[in-house]
Amino acid sequence: MRLALPLALFGPLAAGNALAQSAYPNKPIRVVVPWPAGGVADIALRLIEPKLRAELGQPLMIDNKPGAGGVIGDDIVAKASPDGYTLLFTSSAVNMNIAIGKSMPYDLDRDLVPVVNVAWAPMVLVATPALNLKDAKDLIARAKANPGKMSYASAGNGSPSHLTVEMFRDKAGIDAVHVPYKGSPQALMDQIAGRVDFHFVNSATAIPIINSQKVTPLFVTTSKRLNIAPNIPTNAEAGFPDMQASQFEAFFAPHGTPQPILDKITAAVNKVLAMPDVIAAMAPYALEIDGTSSPQKFAAMIREDRSRWVKVAKDANIKSSD
């Protein structure tokens, strides 16, 4: 009898929790993007939002919270209620912050859980047209002839564009001046204006500008040429076969979010990514759709991705300025 009373009390509570999870979602879902509007994460999410809204039966309220290399937005979600109604959509930058030893108010492994990867965004090396460069070899020759005089943009210290160019500089053996910005769109605007010489920018942001001939593409960090831009050489064709630098664009949730909710989000996202019109919408940005991700697969992918960037940061002696 002493055991029966607690079980009787907890039984309805457990049933209520299960019912709440099975009814998920029954209100709008806030998705925090810790990057400015127009960046690759923002673009990728907005491309799938209409179909995901229909699949889940609730709108996704996209909330751009840029700043501190993504940390401001990340922290909002890390401290949110783990009920599936506040999610994070971000990139490999979460690993890069760890790689450079950035001081953060949250712990990625403890406070956030990987949900599903949406796509990979290749990085494209672009140069200012005024330099009249034909390929990466031209850039390297120019930089070696003018050590420390050329400049390169990034979306901020420790950002994907920063660590990618450091990977390139290390392999190419060149010296140049780093000019950090608050995001890829801002960095690219100064690139177009000719204030910086070169820049690694994600494909989603780069392709429209490349098509307008406002920057000169030198190579893309993929093993095969992009369907949308077949004239851009691959990393191997440019002489850097081991330079893998694509960034994941993915969902995270607060730690403690019930597994049935994570599974429902994952299934909905993967279903949407298989839709022909979503594939067509992603194509102009050269986003490589995942579509087979799961929390478990994504967690393993994160570990592999992190080890790559930890090595890059260590080899280039990149440390947080915090």
Side-chain angles (χ1 to χ4, degrees):
M1 287 295 295
R2 290 181 180 179
L3 290 174
L5 181 59
L7 288 173
L9 289 173
F10 284 116
L13 179 61
N17 286 340
L19 182 61
Q21 291 174 28
S22 65
Y24 173 87
N26 56 24
K27 63 181 181 180
I29 301 168
R30 179 191 185 192
V31 184
V32 176
V33 179
W35 304 101
V40 61
D42 182 74
I43 290 172
L45 179 57
R46 291 181 191 276
L47 288 173
I48 66 170
E49 192 279 333
K51 294 295 184 181
L52 197 53
R53 171 196 295 252
E55 189 64 29
L56 291 172
Q58 293 291 337
L60 274 62
M61 311 302 290
I62 301 173
D63 188 3
N64 295 90
K65 294 290 184 183
V71 172
I72 291 174
D74 298 348
D75 190 47
I76 290 172
V77 180
K79 291 179 169 58
S81 175
D83 56 9
Y85 290 101
T86 303
L87 304 174
L88 176 68
F89 192 80
T90 191
S91 71
S92 297
V94 291
N95 275 337
M96 295 176 182
N97 284 331
I98 295 172
I100 66 172
K102 192 177 186 71
S103 176
M104 297 183 289
Y106 73 96
D107 183 290
L108 177 61
D109 298 326
R110 182 192 65 213
D111 299 327
L112 291 167
V113 292
V115 183
V116 57
N117 184 41
V118 168
W120 291 93
M123 300 295 279
V124 186
L125 176 60
V126 297
T128 301
L131 294 175
N132 293 316
L133 303 176
K134 297 189 300 293
D135 51 33
K137 291 180 180 179
D138 277 359
L139 172 60
I140 294 168
R142 181 77 62 91
K144 287 185 174 180
N146 300 275
K149 293 183 179 179
M150 295 188 75
S151 60
Y152 62 94
S154 82
N157 187 52
S159 66
S161 53
H162 181 203
L163 266 67
T164 303
V165 81
E166 292 297 343
M167 181 191 292
F168 170 69
R169 289 204 314 114
D170 179 62
K171 295 179 183 300
I174 61 174
D175 185 23
V177 178
H178 179 209
V179 184
Y181 292 83
K182 293 183 179 180
S184 286
Q186 296 91 331
L188 195 53
M189 290 308 295
D190 261 17
Q191 172 96 62
I192 293 169
R195 299 187 183 98
V196 288
D197 295 318
F198 62 99
H199 178 201
F200 266 101
V201 63
N202 65 77
S203 60
T205 307
I207 294 300
I209 306 301
I210 290 169
N211 289 342
S212 67
Q213 299 184 337
K214 292 180 180 178
V215 293
T216 303
L218 301 180
F219 74 86
V220 62
T221 61
T222 55
S223 58
K224 61 180 181 179
R225 293 198 178 200
L226 304 177
N227 290 333
I228 195 67
N231 60 310
I232 305 176
T234 65
N235 51 354
E237 291 170 332
F240 302 94
D242 58 345
M243 191 170 170
Q244 299 298 318
S246 295
Q247 316 301 315
F248 62 71
E249 309 298 331
F251 284 98
F252 291 79
H255 178 76
T257 301
Q259 190 62 45
I261 290 178
L262 299 180
D263 291 342
K264 185 170 286 190
I265 296 168
T266 297
V269 169
N270 285 333
K271 183 176 180 180
V272 164
L273 293 176
M275 295 178 178
D277 45 355
V278 171
I279 295 171
M282 291 269 196
Y285 300 95
L287 292 169
E288 300 174 349
I289 291 175
D290 192 326
T292 61
S293 185
S294 68
Q296 296 75 25
K297 288 182 179 179
F298 185 30
M301 184 193 304
I302 289 171
R303 290 191 293 271
E304 181 181 351
D305 182 75
R306 185 183 304 170
S307 65
R308 176 188 306 121
W309 298 116
V310 166
K311 183 179 186 305
V312 170
K314 181 179 179 181
D315 290 348
N317 195 29
I318 304 170
K319 297 179 180 179
S320 173
S321 56
D322 292 346

